[in-house]
Amino acid sequence: MSDIGSLRNIQVVRGGQKIATVDVYDFIMKGKINDDIRLQEGDVIIVPPYEALVSIEGNVKRPMKYEMKNNESVATLLKYLRWILGGCLYPFSPHDSSKWKGVSDLYD
């Protein structure tokens, strides 16, 4: 995989037909496995380029770039941050900016 490869939209193609799409974040962050995909001879794995990247830096457990899907919001990013920070963020409403203290530097 290259630096531009997606971890959110990995496709398994069999006989010219897409049989599965894998989102590695679902597995890493939620332990979620949608399908038990068993690769067979002749299967093709397609790793398309990512849609969007967000760089998280500073006093976080895992400073790096995180992939976001185009339909994901800032609220989704904050859920990822809660996981990134090891659950250090309290539950919040994305409409109540007073709860965003501690991550406000991300919006500069």
Side-chain angles (χ1 to χ4, degrees):
M1 186 165 18
S2 72
D3 290 340
I4 64 168
S6 174
L7 293 175
R8 310 289 311 274
N9 189 28
I10 300 169
Q11 301 166 20
V12 180
V13 177
R14 180 174 296 147
Q17 300 290 322
K18 181 169 66 170
I19 63 162
T21 300
V22 177
D23 184 340
V24 175
Y25 279 29
D26 280 346
F27 177 72
I28 293 172
M29 294 186 192
K30 303 173 190 172
K32 184 177 175 184
I33 301 174
N34 289 339
D35 299 310
D36 185 11
I37 304 163
R38 297 190 185 265
L39 296 177
Q40 298 178 5
E41 186 175 333
D43 285 354
V44 177
I45 308 280
I46 298 173
V47 181
Y50 60 79
E51 294 177 15
L53 282 182
V54 176
S55 181
I56 306 295
E57 299 173 358
N59 190 19
V60 295
K61 279 187 171 183
R62 297 171 184 89
M64 58 189 288
K65 294 177 182 168
Y66 292 86
E67 184 177 352
M68 301 290 291
K69 291 182 176 181
N70 284 334
N71 63 345
E72 292 179 321
S73 66
V74 172
T76 304
L77 175 61
L78 291 174
K79 286 179 188 177
Y80 290 155
L81 282 175
R82 184 172 181 180
W83 176 80
I84 292 163
L85 295 172
C88 294
L89 296 178
Y90 293 102
F92 60 89
S93 165
H95 303 292
D96 182 0
S97 61
S98 68
K99 304 283 184 174
W100 292 6
K101 292 179 182 162
V103 295
S104 61
D105 58 323
L106 295 173
Y107 302 102
D108 293 340

